[in-house]
Amino acid sequence: MTGGAGFVGSHICDRLVAQGHDVICLDNLFTSQKSNIEHLLGKKNFEFIRHDVVHPIWLEVDEIYNAACPAAPGHYQYNPIKTMKTSVMGAINVLGMAKRCRAKVLQFSTSEVYGDPEVHPQPESYKGSVNPIGPRACYDEGKRAAETLFFDYHRSNKVNIRIVRIFNTYGPRMHPYDGRVVSNFIRQALRNEDITIYGSGSQTRSFCYVDDLVEGIIRMMNGPDTFIGPVNLGNPGEFTIKQLAELVVEISGSRSRLVYRPPVADDPMQRQPVIDLARKHLSWEPTVPLREGLKRTIDYFRSIDMESFRAPTPNY
């Protein structure tokens, strides 16, 4: 599990360890933290290796989950060249391992491959509208290039691949300073600080609770070899950023007020998945409503000492 100490990766590790798998977690701890996997370190079927996927590693495995890459704009823009290398060279390295070991390998791709979409909602057949030279391109185009590599290794070398395109995910173990909109709003609300909205707040997102996402990813890995994706995994419920902010304030009982800042470059105005393929091939769809998921996430943020976390980059 690359990126296994991250927000989503650590939840995948939990599931695999609980199922009795021998799990090797790789992470360089750039935007993740060891506390996410601390409870697993004493398990006989769990091993942690501090490693950067930009560099090759030789392991004997039968399944690879490739989640390594900073996912928030401030973090992936902090060192854009490294972000691109993580996506591209990381994909080459895990695909090479999968080829050598004859292992299944699943790529954590992203809804960002659709860019600022001209088609709404977004099916997997939509090829996207991405600015290849914009400030977000290191992540968007890095993930698109990784998908290309996965399919070329599949076509040329018969590597057994899977690709999931993940839409906005939230839940416990989000880093308070990961720069994602949910964690930003919750952190600000719990401190009764102004909640910062970039742009008008009318831009939309679809928020998927982490437990739902993990279930979809596990089903994709365990699914038939005839369905390799890409497949959208996300919640088709669509909310504006302003609605999200208001809901966080309401649930948390915060005294925060909403403040507006200029929009950021290339920020997509709409983001909503079509999940027909996931329903058909994986019998999957999300079950946790946004209000319930936010309540669980806010409870988690209340349970941690936010002052003990540091922002991974100066951008947050």
Side-chain angles (χ1 to χ4, degrees):
M1 177 77 230
T2 74
F7 161 46
V8 176
S10 65
H11 285 278
I12 298 282
C13 287
D14 279 350
R15 284 284 296 271
L16 297 176
V17 168
Q19 291 172 358
H21 297 282
D22 288 321
V23 177
I24 302 171
C25 168
L26 302 184
D27 206 300
N28 67 353
L29 302 180
F30 171 42
T31 58
S32 54
Q33 55 275 341
K34 201 182 289 186
S35 60
N36 283 343
I37 54 167
E38 196 169 14
H39 60 289
L40 296 174
L41 294 176
K43 303 279 189 182
K44 292 182 179 179
N45 59 331
F46 181 80
E47 180 180 357
F48 171 65
I49 301 174
R50 187 160 181 168
H51 180 80
D52 189 330
V53 295
V54 166
H55 306 289
I57 189 169
W58 285 265
L59 300 167
E60 300 302 322
V61 296
D62 52 17
E63 292 182 354
I64 305 168
Y65 293 79
N66 185 39
C69 193
H75 299 154
Y76 63 64
Q77 291 172 15
Y78 172 68
N79 190 339
I81 296 170
K82 181 60 181 287
T83 297
M84 179 68 85
K85 288 169 72 175
T86 300
S87 286
V88 174
M89 295 175 69
I92 290 171
N93 287 331
V94 299
L95 285 161
M97 190 191 307
K99 178 184 174 184
R100 179 178 60 81
C101 297
R102 298 183 180 179
K104 282 191 289 186
V105 56
L106 184 148
Q107 167 70 3
F108 284 49
S109 192
T110 173
S111 60
E112 298 297 331
V113 300
Y114 299 122
D116 190 2
E118 298 163 342
V119 172
H120 188 75
Q122 294 83 55
E124 292 86 350
S125 58
Y126 176 54
K127 295 181 176 62
S129 174
V130 176
N131 177 6
I133 59 172
R136 299 170 69 108
C138 58
Y139 183 71
D140 302 0
E141 296 288 27
K143 289 290 189 179
R144 287 164 67 94
E147 288 196 13
T148 300
L149 284 162
F150 265 69
F151 268 85
D152 284 340
Y153 265 79
H154 175 68
R155 284 186 288 253
S156 299
N157 298 307
K158 310 303 180 189
V159 173
N160 191 346
I161 67 166
R162 309 280 194 278
I163 295 176
V164 295
R165 290 176 176 167
I166 298 170
F167 284 66
N168 294 65
T169 305
Y170 69 101
R173 297 189 198 153
M174 296 186 82
H175 194 298
Y177 298 96
D178 68 7
R180 292 180 172 98
V181 66
V182 172
S183 46
N184 279 355
F185 286 179
I186 293 176
R187 189 186 74 246
Q188 292 170 332
L190 292 181
R191 291 174 171 173
N192 294 306
E193 298 172 351
D194 289 345
I195 290 184
T196 309
I197 295 175
Y198 295 94
S200 66
S202 61
Q203 61 269 45
T204 67
R205 295 292 184 271
S206 302
F207 300 99
C208 184
Y209 189 66
V210 65
D211 289 357
D212 285 332
L213 177 68
V214 167
E215 179 63 28
I217 290 170
I218 298 289
R219 290 190 189 192
M220 185 62 175
M221 180 62 95
N222 295 335
D225 293 346
T226 53
F227 181 61
I228 62 174
V231 61
N232 289 338
L233 294 181
N235 194 319
E238 186 180 20
F239 296 85
T240 68
I241 296 300
K242 183 172 184 288
Q243 285 176 321
L244 174 69
E246 292 170 342
L247 198 52
V248 168
V249 169
E250 176 195 334
I251 295 170
S252 65
S254 174
R255 300 189 302 276
S256 297
R257 64 189 183 95
L258 310 187
V259 297
Y260 295 86
R261 298 285 183 266
V264 297
D266 294 334
D267 186 32
M269 284 303 297
Q270 293 179 302
R271 189 55 58 71
Q272 182 187 19
V274 174
I275 61 168
D276 293 349
L277 288 182
R279 288 190 176 112
K280 176 181 177 181
H281 294 281
L282 308 177
S283 299
W284 176 89
E285 61 182 313
T287 61
V288 180
L290 180 60
R291 178 179 289 274
E292 174 60 27
L294 284 176
K295 182 180 181 302
R296 297 181 197 175
T297 309
I298 290 168
D299 288 344
Y300 165 77
F301 271 69
R302 283 196 168 112
S303 75
I304 62 174
D305 176 14
M306 284 191 282
E307 302 306 321
S308 68
F309 290 82
R310 63 171 180 82
T313 73
N315 302 58
Y316 293 113

Short mmCIF file of all heavy atoms in Angstrom, two decimals, residues 196-240:
data_model
loop_
_atom_site.label_atom_id
_atom_site.label_comp_id
_atom_site.label_asym_id
_atom_site.label_seq_id
_atom_site.Cartn_x
_atom_site.Cartn_y
_atom_site.Cartn_z
N THR A 196 -13.21 30.63 5.19
CA THR A 196 -12.75 31.24 3.95
C THR A 196 -13.28 30.49 2.74
O THR A 196 -13.04 29.29 2.58
CB THR A 196 -11.21 31.26 3.90
OG1 THR A 196 -10.71 31.83 5.11
CG2 THR A 196 -10.73 32.07 2.72
N ILE A 197 -14.01 31.21 1.89
CA ILE A 197 -14.53 30.66 0.64
C ILE A 197 -13.85 31.38 -0.51
O ILE A 197 -13.86 32.63 -0.56
CB ILE A 197 -16.06 30.82 0.54
CG1 ILE A 197 -16.75 29.99 1.64
CG2 ILE A 197 -16.56 30.41 -0.83
CD1 ILE A 197 -18.25 30.18 1.68
N TYR A 198 -13.23 30.63 -1.41
CA TYR A 198 -12.56 31.22 -2.57
C TYR A 198 -13.54 31.25 -3.74
O TYR A 198 -14.05 30.21 -4.15
CB TYR A 198 -11.29 30.44 -2.91
CG TYR A 198 -10.25 30.55 -1.82
CD1 TYR A 198 -10.16 29.58 -0.82
CD2 TYR A 198 -9.39 31.64 -1.76
CE1 TYR A 198 -9.22 29.69 0.20
CE2 TYR A 198 -8.46 31.77 -0.75
CZ TYR A 198 -8.37 30.80 0.23
OH TYR A 198 -7.45 30.92 1.24
N GLY A 199 -13.80 32.44 -4.24
CA GLY A 199 -14.80 32.60 -5.28
C GLY A 199 -16.16 32.91 -4.66
O GLY A 199 -16.26 33.31 -3.49
N SER A 200 -17.21 32.67 -5.43
CA SER A 200 -18.56 33.01 -4.98
C SER A 200 -19.17 31.99 -4.04
O SER A 200 -20.18 32.24 -3.38
CB SER A 200 -19.47 33.17 -6.20
OG SER A 200 -19.63 31.91 -6.85
N GLY A 201 -18.57 30.79 -3.98
CA GLY A 201 -19.16 29.71 -3.20
C GLY A 201 -20.21 28.92 -3.97
O GLY A 201 -20.79 27.96 -3.45
N SER A 202 -20.45 29.32 -5.22
CA SER A 202 -21.46 28.62 -6.04
C SER A 202 -20.87 27.40 -6.74
O SER A 202 -21.61 26.59 -7.31
CB SER A 202 -22.05 29.58 -7.07
OG SER A 202 -21.04 30.05 -7.95
N GLN A 203 -19.54 27.25 -6.73
CA GLN A 203 -18.93 26.07 -7.33
C GLN A 203 -19.37 24.83 -6.54
O GLN A 203 -19.56 24.90 -5.33
CB GLN A 203 -17.41 26.19 -7.40
CG GLN A 203 -16.68 26.33 -6.08
CD GLN A 203 -16.48 27.76 -5.64
OE1 GLN A 203 -17.39 28.57 -5.71
NE2 GLN A 203 -15.29 28.08 -5.17
N THR A 204 -19.54 23.73 -7.24
CA THR A 204 -20.11 22.54 -6.60
C THR A 204 -19.08 21.42 -6.48
O THR A 204 -18.14 21.32 -7.27
CB THR A 204 -21.33 22.00 -7.38
OG1 THR A 204 -20.90 21.50 -8.66
CG2 THR A 204 -22.37 23.08 -7.55
N ARG A 205 -19.29 20.58 -5.46
CA ARG A 205 -18.50 19.38 -5.27
C ARG A 205 -19.43 18.27 -4.81
O ARG A 205 -20.53 18.52 -4.30
CB ARG A 205 -17.39 19.58 -4.22
CG ARG A 205 -16.32 20.59 -4.61
CD ARG A 205 -15.48 20.11 -5.78
NE ARG A 205 -14.40 21.06 -6.08
CZ ARG A 205 -14.51 22.08 -6.91
NH1 ARG A 205 -15.68 22.30 -7.53
NH2 ARG A 205 -13.48 22.87 -7.16
N SER A 206 -18.96 17.03 -4.94
CA SER A 206 -19.70 15.86 -4.48
C SER A 206 -18.83 15.16 -3.45
O SER A 206 -17.72 14.75 -3.76
CB SER A 206 -20.01 14.93 -5.64
OG SER A 206 -20.76 15.60 -6.64
N PHE A 207 -19.30 15.06 -2.22
CA PHE A 207 -18.47 14.63 -1.09
C PHE A 207 -18.81 13.19 -0.70
O PHE A 207 -19.95 12.88 -0.37
CB PHE A 207 -18.67 15.56 0.10
CG PHE A 207 -18.29 16.99 -0.20
CD1 PHE A 207 -19.27 17.92 -0.52
CD2 PHE A 207 -16.97 17.38 -0.19
CE1 PHE A 207 -18.92 19.24 -0.80
CE2 PHE A 207 -16.61 18.70 -0.48
CZ PHE A 207 -17.59 19.62 -0.79
N CYS A 208 -17.79 12.33 -0.69
CA CYS A 208 -17.96 10.91 -0.39
C CYS A 208 -17.27 10.59 0.93
O CYS A 208 -16.09 10.91 1.12
CB CYS A 208 -17.36 10.06 -1.51
SG CYS A 208 -17.62 8.28 -1.32
N TYR A 209 -18.00 9.96 1.86
CA TYR A 209 -17.43 9.59 3.15
C TYR A 209 -16.42 8.47 2.97
O TYR A 209 -16.60 7.56 2.14
CB TYR A 209 -18.53 9.16 4.11
CG TYR A 209 -18.06 8.97 5.53
CD1 TYR A 209 -17.61 10.06 6.28
CD2 TYR A 209 -18.07 7.72 6.12
CE1 TYR A 209 -17.17 9.89 7.58
CE2 TYR A 209 -17.63 7.54 7.42
CZ TYR A 209 -17.18 8.63 8.14
OH TYR A 209 -16.74 8.46 9.43
N VAL A 210 -15.34 8.51 3.74
CA VAL A 210 -14.20 7.62 3.51
C VAL A 210 -14.58 6.14 3.59
O VAL A 210 -14.05 5.32 2.81
CB VAL A 210 -13.04 7.96 4.46
CG1 VAL A 210 -13.42 7.69 5.91
CG2 VAL A 210 -11.77 7.22 4.07
N ASP A 211 -15.48 5.75 4.49
CA ASP A 211 -15.85 4.34 4.59
C ASP A 211 -16.49 3.84 3.30
O ASP A 211 -16.26 2.70 2.86
CB ASP A 211 -16.82 4.12 5.76
CG ASP A 211 -16.16 4.27 7.11
OD1 ASP A 211 -14.93 4.49 7.15
OD2 ASP A 211 -16.86 4.18 8.14
N ASP A 212 -17.31 4.70 2.68
CA ASP A 212 -17.92 4.32 1.40
C ASP A 212 -16.84 4.15 0.33
O ASP A 212 -16.87 3.20 -0.46
CB ASP A 212 -18.91 5.40 0.95
CG ASP A 212 -20.22 5.36 1.74
OD1 ASP A 212 -20.60 4.27 2.21
OD2 ASP A 212 -20.87 6.42 1.86
N LEU A 213 -15.90 5.08 0.28
CA LEU A 213 -14.84 5.00 -0.72
C LEU A 213 -14.01 3.72 -0.55
O LEU A 213 -13.73 3.01 -1.53
CB LEU A 213 -13.92 6.22 -0.63
CG LEU A 213 -12.73 6.18 -1.60
CD1 LEU A 213 -13.19 6.31 -3.04
CD2 LEU A 213 -11.71 7.26 -1.26
N VAL A 214 -13.62 3.42 0.68
CA VAL A 214 -12.81 2.23 0.95
C VAL A 214 -13.52 0.97 0.47
O VAL A 214 -12.92 0.09 -0.15
CB VAL A 214 -12.46 2.13 2.45
CG1 VAL A 214 -11.89 0.76 2.79
CG2 VAL A 214 -11.47 3.23 2.82
N GLU A 215 -14.82 0.89 0.72
CA GLU A 215 -15.59 -0.27 0.27
C GLU A 215 -15.53 -0.39 -1.25
O GLU A 215 -15.35 -1.49 -1.79
CB GLU A 215 -17.04 -0.14 0.73
CG GLU A 215 -17.95 -1.28 0.31
CD GLU A 215 -17.57 -2.63 0.88
OE1 GLU A 215 -16.97 -2.67 1.97
OE2 GLU A 215 -17.85 -3.65 0.22
N GLY A 216 -15.67 0.72 -1.96
CA GLY A 216 -15.60 0.69 -3.42
C GLY A 216 -14.24 0.27 -3.93
O GLY A 216 -14.13 -0.50 -4.89
N ILE A 217 -13.18 0.77 -3.29
CA ILE A 217 -11.82 0.42 -3.72
C ILE A 217 -11.54 -1.06 -3.51
O ILE A 217 -10.99 -1.74 -4.39
CB ILE A 217 -10.79 1.29 -2.96
CG1 ILE A 217 -10.89 2.75 -3.43
CG2 ILE A 217 -9.38 0.76 -3.16
CD1 ILE A 217 -10.09 3.73 -2.60
N ILE A 218 -11.92 -1.59 -2.36
CA ILE A 218 -11.72 -3.02 -2.08
C ILE A 218 -12.49 -3.88 -3.07
O ILE A 218 -11.99 -4.88 -3.59
CB ILE A 218 -12.14 -3.36 -0.63
CG1 ILE A 218 -11.29 -2.59 0.38
CG2 ILE A 218 -12.06 -4.87 -0.38
CD1 ILE A 218 -9.86 -3.03 0.50
N ARG A 219 -13.72 -3.48 -3.37
CA ARG A 219 -14.52 -4.24 -4.35
C ARG A 219 -13.86 -4.21 -5.72
O ARG A 219 -13.88 -5.19 -6.46
CB ARG A 219 -15.94 -3.68 -4.42
CG ARG A 219 -16.78 -3.96 -3.19
CD ARG A 219 -18.24 -3.60 -3.42
NE ARG A 219 -19.00 -3.67 -2.18
CZ ARG A 219 -20.32 -3.64 -2.11
NH1 ARG A 219 -21.04 -3.53 -3.24
NH2 ARG A 219 -20.94 -3.69 -0.95
N MET A 220 -13.28 -3.06 -6.08
CA MET A 220 -12.63 -2.96 -7.39
C MET A 220 -11.42 -3.88 -7.46
O MET A 220 -11.21 -4.60 -8.46
CB MET A 220 -12.22 -1.51 -7.65
CG MET A 220 -11.64 -1.26 -9.03
SD MET A 220 -12.84 -1.62 -10.34
CE MET A 220 -11.92 -1.08 -11.79
N MET A 221 -10.61 -3.90 -6.40
CA MET A 221 -9.44 -4.79 -6.40
C MET A 221 -9.85 -6.25 -6.48
O MET A 221 -9.21 -7.06 -7.16
CB MET A 221 -8.59 -4.54 -5.15
CG MET A 221 -7.35 -5.42 -5.06
SD MET A 221 -6.15 -5.19 -6.40
CE MET A 221 -5.03 -4.01 -5.62
N ASN A 222 -10.92 -6.61 -5.80
CA ASN A 222 -11.36 -8.00 -5.74
C ASN A 222 -12.30 -8.39 -6.87
O ASN A 222 -12.74 -9.53 -6.95
CB ASN A 222 -12.04 -8.29 -4.40
CG ASN A 222 -11.09 -8.16 -3.23
OD1 ASN A 222 -9.88 -8.32 -3.38
ND2 ASN A 222 -11.62 -7.86 -2.05
N GLY A 223 -12.62 -7.44 -7.74
CA GLY A 223 -13.57 -7.69 -8.80
C GLY A 223 -12.98 -8.49 -9.95
O GLY A 223 -11.79 -8.85 -9.95
N PRO A 224 -13.79 -8.77 -10.96
CA PRO A 224 -13.33 -9.59 -12.09
C PRO A 224 -12.26 -8.88 -12.92
O PRO A 224 -12.27 -7.65 -13.05
CB PRO A 224 -14.61 -9.80 -12.91
CG PRO A 224 -15.50 -8.66 -12.55
CD PRO A 224 -15.19 -8.34 -11.11
N ASP A 225 -11.34 -9.67 -13.47
CA ASP A 225 -10.27 -9.10 -14.29
C ASP A 225 -10.81 -8.48 -15.58
O ASP A 225 -10.08 -7.75 -16.26
CB ASP A 225 -9.24 -10.19 -14.64
CG ASP A 225 -8.48 -10.68 -13.42
OD1 ASP A 225 -8.54 -10.01 -12.38
OD2 ASP A 225 -7.82 -11.75 -13.52
N THR A 226 -12.05 -8.77 -15.92
CA THR A 226 -12.64 -8.21 -17.13
C THR A 226 -13.06 -6.75 -16.96
O THR A 226 -13.35 -6.08 -17.94
CB THR A 226 -13.88 -9.03 -17.53
OG1 THR A 226 -14.76 -9.12 -16.40
CG2 THR A 226 -13.48 -10.43 -17.99
N PHE A 227 -13.09 -6.26 -15.70
CA PHE A 227 -13.45 -4.86 -15.46
C PHE A 227 -12.27 -4.18 -14.78
O PHE A 227 -12.05 -4.33 -13.60
CB PHE A 227 -14.71 -4.75 -14.60
CG PHE A 227 -15.12 -3.32 -14.35
CD1 PHE A 227 -15.45 -2.47 -15.40
CD2 PHE A 227 -15.17 -2.82 -13.05
CE1 PHE A 227 -15.82 -1.15 -15.18
CE2 PHE A 227 -15.55 -1.50 -12.81
CZ PHE A 227 -15.88 -0.66 -13.88
N ILE A 228 -11.52 -3.41 -15.56
CA ILE A 228 -10.31 -2.75 -15.04
C ILE A 228 -10.50 -1.25 -14.86
O ILE A 228 -9.62 -0.58 -14.33
CB ILE A 228 -9.10 -3.03 -15.95
CG1 ILE A 228 -9.32 -2.45 -17.35
CG2 ILE A 228 -8.81 -4.52 -16.01
CD1 ILE A 228 -8.09 -2.57 -18.25
N GLY A 229 -11.63 -0.73 -15.29
CA GLY A 229 -11.89 0.70 -15.16
C GLY A 229 -11.42 1.45 -16.40
O GLY A 229 -11.17 0.86 -17.44
N PRO A 230 -11.26 2.78 -16.24
CA PRO A 230 -11.44 3.56 -15.02
C PRO A 230 -12.90 3.55 -14.54
O PRO A 230 -13.82 3.46 -15.35
CB PRO A 230 -11.02 4.98 -15.43
CG PRO A 230 -10.32 4.84 -16.73
CD PRO A 230 -10.86 3.63 -17.38
N VAL A 231 -13.07 3.67 -13.22
CA VAL A 231 -14.40 3.74 -12.66
C VAL A 231 -14.46 4.90 -11.67
O VAL A 231 -13.54 5.09 -10.86
CB VAL A 231 -14.80 2.41 -11.97
CG1 VAL A 231 -13.86 2.07 -10.81
CG2 VAL A 231 -16.24 2.44 -11.50
N ASN A 232 -15.52 5.69 -11.76
CA ASN A 232 -15.74 6.79 -10.82
C ASN A 232 -16.17 6.23 -9.47
O ASN A 232 -17.09 5.40 -9.40
CB ASN A 232 -16.84 7.72 -11.31
CG ASN A 232 -16.44 8.56 -12.51
OD1 ASN A 232 -15.25 8.79 -12.75
ND2 ASN A 232 -17.42 9.05 -13.25
N LEU A 233 -15.52 6.68 -8.40
CA LEU A 233 -15.96 6.38 -7.04
C LEU A 233 -16.19 7.70 -6.32
O LEU A 233 -15.23 8.46 -6.07
CB LEU A 233 -14.93 5.54 -6.29
CG LEU A 233 -14.70 4.12 -6.80
CD1 LEU A 233 -13.68 3.40 -5.93
CD2 LEU A 233 -16.00 3.31 -6.85
N GLY A 234 -17.42 8.00 -6.05
CA GLY A 234 -17.77 9.25 -5.39
C GLY A 234 -19.25 9.28 -5.10
O GLY A 234 -20.00 8.39 -5.52
N ASN A 235 -19.67 10.29 -4.39
CA ASN A 235 -21.07 10.44 -4.05
C ASN A 235 -21.74 11.37 -5.06
O ASN A 235 -21.30 12.51 -5.22
CB ASN A 235 -21.20 11.01 -2.63
CG ASN A 235 -22.61 10.87 -2.08
OD1 ASN A 235 -23.59 11.07 -2.79
ND2 ASN A 235 -22.72 10.53 -0.82
N PRO A 236 -22.77 10.92 -5.76
CA PRO A 236 -23.39 11.77 -6.78
C PRO A 236 -24.18 12.94 -6.21
O PRO A 236 -24.64 13.79 -6.97
CB PRO A 236 -24.29 10.81 -7.55
CG PRO A 236 -24.55 9.68 -6.63
CD PRO A 236 -23.35 9.56 -5.75
N GLY A 237 -24.36 13.00 -4.90
CA GLY A 237 -25.01 14.17 -4.30
C GLY A 237 -24.16 15.41 -4.49
O GLY A 237 -22.97 15.41 -4.17
N GLU A 238 -24.73 16.47 -5.02
CA GLU A 238 -23.97 17.67 -5.38
C GLU A 238 -24.34 18.82 -4.45
O GLU A 238 -25.51 19.10 -4.21
CB GLU A 238 -24.27 18.05 -6.84
CG GLU A 238 -23.42 19.20 -7.38
CD GLU A 238 -23.77 19.53 -8.83
OE1 GLU A 238 -24.86 19.14 -9.29
OE2 GLU A 238 -22.95 20.17 -9.50
N PHE A 239 -23.31 19.49 -3.91
CA PHE A 239 -23.52 20.62 -3.00
C PHE A 239 -22.60 21.77 -3.40
O PHE A 239 -21.49 21.56 -3.88
CB PHE A 239 -23.18 20.22 -1.55
CG PHE A 239 -24.07 19.14 -0.99
CD1 PHE A 239 -23.79 17.80 -1.21
CD2 PHE A 239 -25.20 19.48 -0.25
CE1 PHE A 239 -24.61 16.81 -0.69
CE2 PHE A 239 -26.02 18.49 0.27
CZ PHE A 239 -25.73 17.16 0.04
N THR A 240 -23.08 23.00 -3.18
CA THR A 240 -22.20 24.14 -3.40
C THR A 240 -21.25 24.27 -2.21
O THR A 240 -21.52 23.77 -1.11
CB THR A 240 -22.98 25.46 -3.55
OG1 THR A 240 -23.59 25.79 -2.29
CG2 THR A 240 -24.05 25.35 -4.64
#
